[in-house]
PDB file of all heavy atoms in Angstrom:
ATOM      1  N   ARG A  97      16.018 -15.857   0.161  1.00 98.00           N
ATOM      2  CA  ARG A  97      14.734 -15.638  -0.528  1.00 98.00           C
ATOM      3  C   ARG A  97      14.959 -15.476  -2.037  1.00 98.00           C
ATOM      4  O   ARG A  97      14.262 -16.039  -2.847  1.00 98.00           O
ATOM      5  CB  ARG A  97      14.012 -14.397   0.020  1.00 98.00           C
ATOM      6  CG  ARG A  97      13.597 -14.438   1.496  1.00 98.00           C
ATOM      7  CD  ARG A  97      12.515 -15.461   1.791  1.00 98.00           C
ATOM      8  NE  ARG A  97      13.084 -16.784   1.989  1.00 98.00           N
ATOM      9  CZ  ARG A  97      13.655 -17.189   3.122  1.00 98.00           C
ATOM     10  NH1 ARG A  97      13.708 -16.407   4.159  1.00 98.00           N
ATOM     11  NH2 ARG A  97      14.169 -18.404   3.219  1.00 98.00           N
ATOM     12  N   ILE A  98      15.985 -14.679  -2.382  1.00 98.00           N
ATOM     13  CA  ILE A  98      16.251 -14.432  -3.811  1.00 98.00           C
ATOM     14  C   ILE A  98      16.684 -15.737  -4.483  1.00 98.00           C
ATOM     15  O   ILE A  98      16.243 -16.062  -5.583  1.00 98.00           O
ATOM     16  CB  ILE A  98      17.359 -13.353  -3.975  1.00 98.00           C
ATOM     17  CG1 ILE A  98      16.940 -12.051  -3.307  1.00 98.00           C
ATOM     18  CG2 ILE A  98      17.761 -13.173  -5.438  1.00 98.00           C
ATOM     19  CD1 ILE A  98      16.201 -11.079  -4.141  1.00 98.00           C
ATOM     20  N   ARG A  99      17.537 -16.480  -3.791  1.00 98.00           N
ATOM     21  CA  ARG A  99      18.023 -17.741  -4.361  1.00 98.00           C
ATOM     22  C   ARG A  99      16.846 -18.702  -4.577  1.00 98.00           C
ATOM     23  O   ARG A  99      16.723 -19.316  -5.638  1.00 98.00           O
ATOM     24  CB  ARG A  99      19.069 -18.360  -3.428  1.00 98.00           C
ATOM     25  CG  ARG A  99      19.810 -19.530  -4.047  1.00 98.00           C
ATOM     26  CD  ARG A  99      21.032 -19.978  -3.256  1.00 98.00           C
ATOM     27  NE  ARG A  99      20.995 -19.683  -1.826  1.00 98.00           N
ATOM     28  CZ  ARG A  99      20.253 -20.342  -0.927  1.00 98.00           C
ATOM     29  NH1 ARG A  99      19.491 -21.334  -1.315  1.00 98.00           N
ATOM     30  NH2 ARG A  99      20.295 -19.998   0.346  1.00 98.00           N
ATOM     31  N   GLU A 100      15.962 -18.806  -3.580  1.00 98.00           N
ATOM     32  CA  GLU A 100      14.813 -19.704  -3.730  1.00 98.00           C
ATOM     33  C   GLU A 100      13.928 -19.277  -4.900  1.00 98.00           C
ATOM     34  O   GLU A 100      13.514 -20.094  -5.719  1.00 98.00           O
ATOM     35  CB  GLU A 100      13.987 -19.730  -2.437  1.00 98.00           C
ATOM     36  CG  GLU A 100      14.622 -20.563  -1.335  1.00 98.00           C
ATOM     37  CD  GLU A 100      14.041 -20.253   0.036  1.00 98.00           C
ATOM     38  OE1 GLU A 100      14.088 -19.088   0.474  1.00 98.00           O
ATOM     39  OE2 GLU A 100      13.522 -21.172   0.677  1.00 98.00           O
ATOM     40  N   MET A 101      13.647 -17.977  -4.973  1.00 98.00           N
ATOM     41  CA  MET A 101      12.782 -17.503  -6.061  1.00 98.00           C
ATOM     42  C   MET A 101      13.413 -17.781  -7.421  1.00 98.00           C
ATOM     43  O   MET A 101      12.741 -18.202  -8.358  1.00 98.00           O
ATOM     44  CB  MET A 101      12.492 -16.009  -5.891  1.00 98.00           C
ATOM     45  CG  MET A 101      11.553 -15.738  -4.728  1.00 98.00           C
ATOM     46  SD  MET A 101      11.583 -14.028  -4.220  1.00 98.00           S
ATOM     47  CE  MET A 101      10.675 -13.293  -5.482  1.00 98.00           C
ATOM     48  N   ALA A 102      14.722 -17.553  -7.508  1.00 98.00           N
ATOM     49  CA  ALA A 102      15.404 -17.821  -8.778  1.00 98.00           C
ATOM     50  C   ALA A 102      15.324 -19.313  -9.113  1.00 98.00           C
ATOM     51  O   ALA A 102      15.115 -19.689 -10.272  1.00 98.00           O
ATOM     52  CB  ALA A 102      16.859 -17.347  -8.695  1.00 98.00           C
ATOM     53  N   SER A 103      15.433 -20.153  -8.067  1.00 98.00           N
ATOM     54  CA  SER A 103      15.390 -21.608  -8.339  1.00 98.00           C
ATOM     55  C   SER A 103      14.000 -22.063  -8.798  1.00 98.00           C
ATOM     56  O   SER A 103      13.861 -23.079  -9.449  1.00 98.00           O
ATOM     57  CB  SER A 103      15.833 -22.394  -7.100  1.00 98.00           C
ATOM     58  OG  SER A 103      14.783 -22.414  -6.138  1.00 98.00           O
ATOM     59  N   TRP A 104      12.970 -21.292  -8.457  1.00 98.00           N
ATOM     60  CA  TRP A 104      11.618 -21.634  -8.943  1.00 98.00           C
ATOM     61  C   TRP A 104      11.369 -21.052 -10.335  1.00 98.00           C
ATOM     62  O   TRP A 104      10.283 -21.185 -10.888  1.00 98.00           O
ATOM     63  CB  TRP A 104      10.522 -21.095  -8.010  1.00 98.00           C
ATOM     64  CG  TRP A 104      10.683 -21.484  -6.575  1.00 98.00           C
ATOM     65  CD1 TRP A 104      11.285 -22.624  -6.095  1.00 98.00           C
ATOM     66  CD2 TRP A 104      10.264 -20.748  -5.420  1.00 98.00           C
ATOM     67  NE1 TRP A 104      11.256 -22.620  -4.721  1.00 98.00           N
ATOM     68  CE2 TRP A 104      10.638 -21.493  -4.283  1.00 98.00           C
ATOM     69  CE3 TRP A 104       9.606 -19.530  -5.246  1.00 98.00           C
ATOM     70  CZ2 TRP A 104      10.377 -21.059  -2.982  1.00 98.00           C
ATOM     71  CZ3 TRP A 104       9.335 -19.091  -3.952  1.00 98.00           C
ATOM     72  CH2 TRP A 104       9.727 -19.848  -2.841  1.00 98.00           C
ATOM     73  N   GLY A 105      12.347 -20.300 -10.833  1.00 98.00           N
ATOM     74  CA  GLY A 105      12.219 -19.784 -12.191  1.00 98.00           C
ATOM     75  C   GLY A 105      11.941 -18.291 -12.292  1.00 98.00           C
ATOM     76  O   GLY A 105      11.656 -17.789 -13.387  1.00 98.00           O
ATOM     77  N   ALA A 106      12.027 -17.551 -11.182  1.00 98.00           N
ATOM     78  CA  ALA A 106      11.773 -16.105 -11.267  1.00 98.00           C
ATOM     79  C   ALA A 106      12.847 -15.449 -12.132  1.00 98.00           C
ATOM     80  O   ALA A 106      14.041 -15.584 -11.847  1.00 98.00           O
ATOM     81  CB  ALA A 106      11.768 -15.479  -9.873  1.00 98.00           C
ATOM     82  N   PRO A 107      12.442 -14.771 -13.204  1.00 98.00           N
ATOM     83  CA  PRO A 107      13.434 -14.241 -14.156  1.00 98.00           C
ATOM     84  C   PRO A 107      14.039 -12.909 -13.726  1.00 98.00           C
ATOM     85  O   PRO A 107      13.726 -11.855 -14.273  1.00 98.00           O
ATOM     86  CB  PRO A 107      12.608 -14.088 -15.440  1.00 98.00           C
ATOM     87  CG  PRO A 107      11.205 -13.837 -14.966  1.00 98.00           C
ATOM     88  CD  PRO A 107      11.048 -14.533 -13.640  1.00 98.00           C
ATOM     89  N   PHE A 108      14.929 -12.966 -12.739  1.00 98.00           N
ATOM     90  CA  PHE A 108      15.644 -11.750 -12.337  1.00 98.00           C
ATOM     91  C   PHE A 108      16.476 -11.248 -13.513  1.00 98.00           C
ATOM     92  O   PHE A 108      16.973 -12.057 -14.307  1.00 98.00           O
ATOM     93  CB  PHE A 108      16.578 -12.042 -11.154  1.00 98.00           C
ATOM     94  CG  PHE A 108      15.861 -12.180  -9.837  1.00 98.00           C
ATOM     95  CD1 PHE A 108      15.454 -13.426  -9.373  1.00 98.00           C
ATOM     96  CD2 PHE A 108      15.584 -11.061  -9.076  1.00 98.00           C
ATOM     97  CE1 PHE A 108      14.778 -13.556  -8.170  1.00 98.00           C
ATOM     98  CE2 PHE A 108      14.908 -11.177  -7.867  1.00 98.00           C
ATOM     99  CZ  PHE A 108      14.501 -12.425  -7.408  1.00 98.00           C
ATOM    100  N   ARG A 109      16.637  -9.939 -13.585  1.00 95.00           N
ATOM    101  CA  ARG A 109      17.470  -9.384 -14.653  1.00 95.00           C
ATOM    102  C   ARG A 109      18.921  -9.805 -14.425  1.00 95.00           C
ATOM    103  O   ARG A 109      19.405  -9.769 -13.292  1.00 95.00           O
ATOM    104  CB  ARG A 109      17.333  -7.858 -14.635  1.00 95.00           C
ATOM    105  CG  ARG A 109      18.009  -7.189 -15.776  1.00 95.00           C
ATOM    106  CD  ARG A 109      17.661  -5.704 -15.787  1.00 95.00           C
ATOM    107  NE  ARG A 109      18.609  -4.979 -16.606  1.00 95.00           N
ATOM    108  CZ  ARG A 109      18.718  -3.665 -16.605  1.00 95.00           C
ATOM    109  NH1 ARG A 109      17.940  -2.928 -15.832  1.00 95.00           N
ATOM    110  NH2 ARG A 109      19.589  -3.068 -17.384  1.00 95.00           N
ATOM    111  N   LYS A 110      19.596 -10.175 -15.497  1.00 97.00           N
ATOM    112  CA  LYS A 110      20.994 -10.626 -15.394  1.00 97.00           C
ATOM    113  C   LYS A 110      21.913  -9.642 -16.110  1.00 97.00           C
ATOM    114  O   LYS A 110      21.482  -8.935 -17.011  1.00 97.00           O
ATOM    115  CB  LYS A 110      21.136 -12.003 -16.058  1.00 97.00           C
ATOM    116  CG  LYS A 110      20.245 -13.095 -15.473  1.00 97.00           C
ATOM    117  CD  LYS A 110      20.885 -13.724 -14.260  1.00 97.00           C
ATOM    118  CE  LYS A 110      19.986 -14.704 -13.531  1.00 97.00           C
ATOM    119  NZ  LYS A 110      19.513 -15.805 -14.323  1.00 97.00           N
ATOM    120  N   ASP A 111      23.191  -9.641 -15.697  1.00 96.00           N
ATOM    121  CA  ASP A 111      24.147  -8.817 -16.439  1.00 96.00           C
ATOM    122  C   ASP A 111      24.786  -9.668 -17.554  1.00 96.00           C
ATOM    123  O   ASP A 111      24.414 -10.827 -17.741  1.00 96.00           O
ATOM    124  CB  ASP A 111      25.194  -8.198 -15.503  1.00 96.00           C
ATOM    125  CG  ASP A 111      26.062  -9.246 -14.824  1.00 96.00           C
ATOM    126  OD1 ASP A 111      26.111 -10.401 -15.318  1.00 96.00           O
ATOM    127  OD2 ASP A 111      26.692  -8.916 -13.800  1.00 96.00           O
ATOM    128  N   ALA A 112      25.738  -9.074 -18.261  1.00 96.00           N
ATOM    129  CA  ALA A 112      26.300  -9.754 -19.431  1.00 96.00           C
ATOM    130  C   ALA A 112      26.932 -11.099 -19.061  1.00 96.00           C
ATOM    131  O   ALA A 112      26.939 -12.041 -19.850  1.00 96.00           O
ATOM    132  CB  ALA A 112      27.327  -8.849 -20.105  1.00 96.00           C
TER     133      ALA A 112
END
Side-chain angles (χ1 to χ4, degrees):
Chain A
R97 297 293 84 80
I98 301 270
R99 190 168 26 75
E100 284 163 302
M101 288 163 75
S103 76
W104 307 331
F108 284 93
R109 187 172 162 193
K110 302 276 173 58
D111 64 19

